[in-house]
Amino acid sequence: MTNNERILLEKLEKENIESLSKRGRGTELEKYCSWIGISKHGTAREKAIRLLNWYDSNTYKERLKKYEHLKLKINIKTGTHGKTVRGSISQYLWLKKIRPAILTKYNYKCSICGFEPEESERKQLHVHEIEEYDFDQDICELKGLELICSSCHSFYHLYRSYSVTTKAQMDELISHFTRVNEIEREEYQEYVRLLQCSWRNESIKSIDEQINKGYYDCDKIVTFKISYAIPYKEEVVKQLKKKGLYIEN
């Protein structure tokens, strides 16, 4: 990292879009863009966005530590393209056996925010699969099942949530997130921005590594491990084995 880059990191630490975009800062912004080799073209706001994106990409790992304590975190579905244990077994086993057992275990309450719907509204409670992926071996390991409400679940699939909700619905979901975590909306926005840097960098790295190894394939077969004592585990394993999708621990 050059000396100019270090100076710029310190300067941008206290800046935001509004402060950088103020009238009279055009020459200053062009200088900063020159320091780090990014485009100087466009409006002051466009230059400010590029500078802050550069700042985020160089500081996100350390700044994300601020949000490690959050009760409700944000995630995205990582690279197995929707291939899960739930999607690989019969819906009867999942809906009629496993789901009722998890509902009872968590006493019909969201394990994150404590939401307890009326009996007729229990469809708002979802059984979420906690998974870990081994991309080298194309293995998805099921490490647990938790009961969470639809609002909390939305943040485990954030990109999808933005694509299928209206602006008003997403605004209410964000309010839910800030209430559960007792943070301000500005902190939510920063958290999402930093996560986007992390996801972008890790996704590019993962895909590049697989392409270099010569086996990146969106239609690859994913096999499963189960390291958690889920309800009806023997039946689940039996069904997965029948399809050749189960790997012994």
Side-chain angles (χ1 to χ4, degrees):
M1 182 170 286
T2 67
N3 189 52
N4 280 343
E5 287 173 336
R6 292 190 194 92
I7 293 172
L8 186 55
L9 284 175
E10 292 179 6
K11 287 181 177 293
L12 293 178
E13 184 178 359
K14 299 177 182 178
E15 299 279 10
N16 55 46
I17 292 289
E18 287 69 30
S19 65
L20 284 172
S21 303
K22 284 182 178 178
R23 186 186 298 273
R25 300 194 69 178
T27 302
E28 181 186 1
L29 295 182
E30 289 184 8
K31 178 179 69 173
Y32 293 157
C33 289
S34 296
W35 282 1
I36 58 175
I38 64 175
S39 173
K40 298 184 288 184
H41 300 295
T43 64
R45 186 175 184 86
E46 289 169 341
K47 288 191 278 280
I49 290 172
R50 288 195 289 270
L51 286 167
L52 289 175
N53 284 342
W54 174 85
Y55 175 72
D56 287 345
S57 68
N58 282 276
T59 61
Y60 72 89
K61 288 184 179 180
E62 185 64 29
R63 291 161 64 201
L64 275 173
K65 293 178 181 179
K66 171 184 174 182
Y67 300 101
E68 289 177 348
H69 71 285
L70 295 185
K71 190 174 182 181
L72 171 58
K73 291 184 171 65
I74 292 175
N75 207 337
I76 58 171
K77 203 72 175 177
T78 46
T80 59
H81 306 283
K83 296 172 183 177
T84 63
V85 168
R86 175 182 178 172
S88 302
I89 63 175
S90 72
Q91 289 305 287
Y92 178 83
L93 177 54
W94 183 269
L95 295 175
K96 300 299 183 181
K97 292 186 172 183
I98 295 174
R99 175 177 166 80
I102 296 298
L103 283 166
T104 300
K105 176 182 176 180
Y106 284 94
N107 200 25
Y108 304 93
K109 294 180 183 179
C110 174
S111 62
I112 297 175
C113 71
F115 173 61
E116 184 178 5
E118 297 292 332
E119 184 174 354
S120 61
E121 297 297 322
R122 284 177 181 165
K123 63 182 180 181
Q124 296 181 55
L125 295 174
H126 300 174
V127 178
H128 174 68
E129 294 165 274
I130 302 169
E131 300 157 323
E132 185 174 293
Y133 303 101
D134 180 340
F135 293 104
D136 289 332
Q137 302 297 320
D138 296 333
I139 296 173
C140 172
E141 181 178 355
L142 180 61
K143 306 195 77 172
L145 297 173
E146 63 180 349
L147 190 67
I148 56 178
C149 69
S150 58
S151 294
C152 288
H153 204 181
S154 296
F155 292 96
Y156 284 17
H157 307 270
L158 187 63
Y159 288 162
R160 180 182 182 278
S161 297
Y162 270 105
S163 68
V164 301
T165 59
T166 65
K167 186 177 183 300
Q169 289 170 332
M170 197 64 219
D171 190 66
E172 180 52 40
L173 285 173
I174 294 171
S175 294
H176 174 80
F177 185 91
T178 57
R179 284 195 302 271
V180 171
N181 288 311
E182 298 181 335
I183 63 172
E184 299 297 327
R185 187 165 288 241
E186 291 76 15
E187 292 175 290
Y188 165 82
Q189 293 168 342
E190 179 187 54
Y191 180 43
V192 171
R193 199 172 67 246
L194 296 176
L195 285 174
Q196 287 172 332
C197 282
S198 174
W199 296 333
R200 184 164 55 247
N201 291 345
E202 292 304 314
S203 294
I204 291 172
K205 179 180 177 183
S206 175
I207 291 173
D208 284 347
E209 286 176 348
Q210 293 186 60
I211 289 174
N212 289 335
K213 290 176 182 177
Y215 62 78
Y216 182 72
D217 180 6
C218 291
D219 296 319
K220 61 191 174 184
I221 295 175
V222 175
T223 52
F224 302 96
K225 285 184 179 181
I226 301 176
S227 57
Y228 172 74
I230 65 171
Y232 303 96
K233 181 177 179 179
E234 289 185 5
E235 292 185 46
V236 172
V237 171
K238 182 178 179 180
Q239 289 192 12
L240 292 174
K241 281 185 173 179
K242 190 174 182 180
K243 295 181 178 181
L245 297 177
Y246 188 73
I247 302 293
E248 297 287 352
N249 289 321

